[in-house]
Amino acid sequence: MSVRRTRKHIPMKVLIIGGGGREHALAWKAAQSPLVEEVLVAPGNAGTASEPGVRNVNVAAEDLAGLLELAREQAVELTIVGPEVPLAAGVVDLFSEHGLKCFGPTKDAAQLESSKAFAKEFMARHGIPTAAYAVAESVEDGMRQARAIGFPLVLKADGLAAGKGVVIVEDEHQAENVLTDMLSGHAFGEAGRQVVIEEFLVGEEASFIVLADGEQAVPLASSQDHKRRDEGDLGPNTGGMGAYSPAPVVSAQLHEQLINEVIAPALRGMARDGHRFTGFLYAGVMLTSSGPKVLEFNVRFGDPETQPILMRLNSDLIAVVLQVLDGRIDQVRLDWDPRTALGIVVAAGGYPGQYARGRPISGLDLVAPGHVKVFHAGTRLADADIVTSGGRVLCVTALGETVAQAQARALEWTARIGFEDAFYRRDIGHRAIRRG
Ligand code: AMP
Ligand code: GLY
């Protein structure tokens, strides 16, 4: 593939902010770009530490001043932000003030994710289809709204809660408990000052992620994640237990519909409201019998969707991001591997609740075949060992001619890697497999 060399100082240094599975995939992909001399990851994990062309730097993803200093000191020419927390804290605003290229939305634009109440009001105002809702700040008011909406319904803590601030409630008793818990500030702190109460939607979910330059969008390949902890999509919500791409449920017609009814009005609305949106825009949608409805917007790439999506991307990610940032989004052409990629998250026992850390992981020294990639999430180096350091520990991702083959390959490799109390779902991709 040819890469146009339009910059003076190449190859360049790229900084990836974050330390999870998404960031390992971003760093791995960035390091393959002929435009890149070195990829820095702040803070990274044990996977990025051993990736060729990649170096971890011990600066936390939330340490904005430290990140700025790092980028200036190392003459970083492009920064890509993985997680939502630094975006919501204004890392893009800070980098721009210092003339540094940083791919992601500003703090104001990041409210699409950092406040569920903001997102719902925005969608209502701009005619973007979403579940009926109300916002409450007291248990009493919340209960009144809940009765009006009817059960089951969904309660969402307003702010960032790492995928754990969403509870489906079946009856009044449970609603009262969850509302009390959320509004007390104990479970979610500031994030729980307001609660969004939503109509319960039935259907299949899909993740639709685009690259946006403030006005236009280039869609990435479709994907679907599995947010529930247990097989059969049961149990509590997590950050995501696995994902695959493409998601056959997103037909060409649905793709058009999502662009026209969700992405285009969202970008237009944000620009009109004075918060032009640049970066990865992620719409989590429920495909209901009355059409697609937005469950949530994320203002960043999904985790674990990034891992299978980037495994299928043949194009140079860094060249593409530079085209988007430099006002050349019209020139972006994405080339995808036609195969399916499927990633299985290996998690620590107890996740999404309490779990142990520091467990040695075995099997990571095995050399995986070319169609398998083990992305690290919550791992770190402890002397010579790689040990667990988070709830989602690895994402074993495989390419296959069919979803079933990708799943079988990922499962086969997952079985060779382990640590005490590890668990994973054996049914990632089940809907696509059933669809045939
Ligand atoms: P969110 O963080 O808002 O995407 O919610 C996390 C997960 O909760 C979603 O991926 C859905 O599985 C589920 N969920 C959220 N909102 C609704 C809803 N209104 N109806 C049914 N399920 C929902
Ligand atoms: N996989 C969903 C997320 O990144 O929030």
Side-chain angles (χ1 to χ4, degrees):
M1 174 188 140
S2 76
V3 173
R4 256 201 321 161
R5 304 206 150 199
T6 51
R7 307 182 58 81
K8 269 197 221 124
H9 311 287
I10 53 172
M12 64 174 84
K13 283 191 187 178
V14 168
L15 169 63
I16 308 289
I17 298 177
R22 165 183 49 214
E23 290 76 21
H24 186 185
L26 285 166
W28 165 80
K29 187 69 189 161
Q32 293 166 23
S33 168
L35 297 172
V36 174
E37 172 199 352
E38 187 179 28
V39 178
L40 307 179
V41 191
N45 57 35
T48 52
S50 52
E51 203 61 67
V54 180
R55 175 161 60 100
N56 285 353
V57 186
N58 191 15
V59 177
E62 300 77 29
D63 177 6
L64 269 51
L67 292 167
L68 177 65
E69 195 186 315
L70 170 66
R72 296 174 83 178
E73 217 170 64
Q74 295 286 323
V76 166
E77 290 192 47
L78 172 66
T79 299
I80 300 178
V81 190
E84 58 277 19
V85 171
L87 291 168
V91 70
V92 172
D93 312 61
L94 180 67
F95 274 49
S96 314
E97 280 162 26
H98 290 83
L100 295 172
K101 272 188 191 159
C102 188
F103 190 61
T106 59
K107 179 178 180 163
D108 281 347
Q111 288 176 94
L112 264 190
E113 175 167 2
S114 64
S115 167
K116 291 192 185 279
F118 175 95
K120 293 299 284 191
E121 279 149 25
F122 172 82
M123 288 189 268
R125 209 150 19 89
H126 294 283
I128 297 170
T130 188
Y133 79 105
V135 179
E137 292 185 9
S138 72
V139 177
E140 249 176 22
D141 187 30
M143 287 307 292
R144 212 166 37 76
Q145 307 277 16
R147 284 185 203 105
I149 289 175
F151 294 91
L153 52 74
V154 186
L155 297 178
K156 302 184 177 184
D158 178 58
L160 296 179
K164 291 165 214 153
V166 176
V167 185
I168 295 161
V169 303
E170 305 291 342
D171 54 38
E172 290 202 18
H173 177 69
Q174 199 191 353
E176 191 154 0
N177 286 338
V178 175
L179 275 171
T180 306
D181 198 36
M182 283 183 173
L183 289 164
S184 70
H186 296 323
F188 301 106
E190 271 299 294
R193 259 187 345 99
Q194 290 187 315
V195 174
V196 170
I197 304 158
E198 257 187 35
E199 158 201 16
F200 181 77
L201 299 176
V202 179
E204 186 168 348
E205 282 180 56
S207 307
F208 198 68
I209 308 173
V210 303
L211 290 157
D213 75 343
E215 283 164 29
Q216 298 180 67
V218 175
L220 299 177
S222 63
S223 59
Q224 187 172 80
D225 78 342
H226 292 265
K227 287 214 176 73
R228 303 289 202 98
R229 184 190 61 194
D230 304 330
E231 289 174 9
D233 295 315
L234 300 172
N237 262 312
T238 69
M241 293 298 296
Y244 60 99
S245 168
V249 66
V250 182
S251 62
Q253 183 247 327
L254 180 59
H255 179 104
E256 274 307 297
Q257 198 179 358
L258 291 171
I259 292 283
N260 295 331
E261 295 179 12
V262 175
I263 300 297
L267 294 180
R268 230 178 7 246
M270 289 300 279
R272 208 173 290 160
D273 293 351
H275 311 308
R276 282 167 50 94
F277 189 97
T278 301
F280 295 105
L281 179 61
Y282 168 132
V285 294
M286 185 75 90
L287 307 171
T288 74
S289 55
S290 52
K293 295 194 176 172
V294 176
L295 293 170
E296 62 168 344
F297 281 115
N298 291 326
V299 299
R300 44 155 181 97
F301 220 146
D303 191 341
E305 290 94 328
T306 304
Q307 292 86 316
I309 290 177
L310 289 187
M311 207 151 157
R312 293 186 57 222
L313 181 64
N314 291 328
S315 313
D316 177 347
L317 176 71
I318 298 306
V320 166
V321 168
L322 288 172
Q323 283 175 320
V324 174
L325 280 175
D326 294 345
R328 295 181 284 127
I329 198 168
D330 290 339
Q331 296 170 12
V332 174
R333 301 281 174 277
L334 298 180
D335 178 31
W336 299 102
D337 189 318
R339 290 176 291 177
T340 290
L342 184 143
I344 297 173
V345 169
V346 185
Y351 175 78
Q354 298 289 322
Y355 52 82
R357 292 168 207 250
R359 298 258 157 93
I361 308 171
S362 62
L364 291 173
D365 46 349
L366 299 171
V367 179
H371 54 253
V372 173
K373 176 73 189 170
V374 178
F375 292 110
H376 290 221
T379 69
R380 71 181 173 80
L381 286 171
D383 301 320
D385 287 340
I386 296 180
V387 301
T388 66
S389 70
R392 291 189 291 171
V393 176
L394 302 164
C395 181
V396 179
T397 309
L399 286 162
E401 298 300 331
T402 60
V403 188
Q405 188 185 49
Q407 189 200 57
R409 285 172 164 177
L411 280 171
E412 190 194 326
W413 206 260
T414 302
R416 301 185 187 192
I417 302 173
F419 50 90
E420 196 183 332
D421 284 342
F423 76 95
Y424 56 90
R425 284 180 56 170
R426 305 184 59 84
D427 69 341
I428 301 303
H430 66 86
R431 287 201 186 80
I433 290 172
R434 257 206 314 278
R435 192 170 267 111

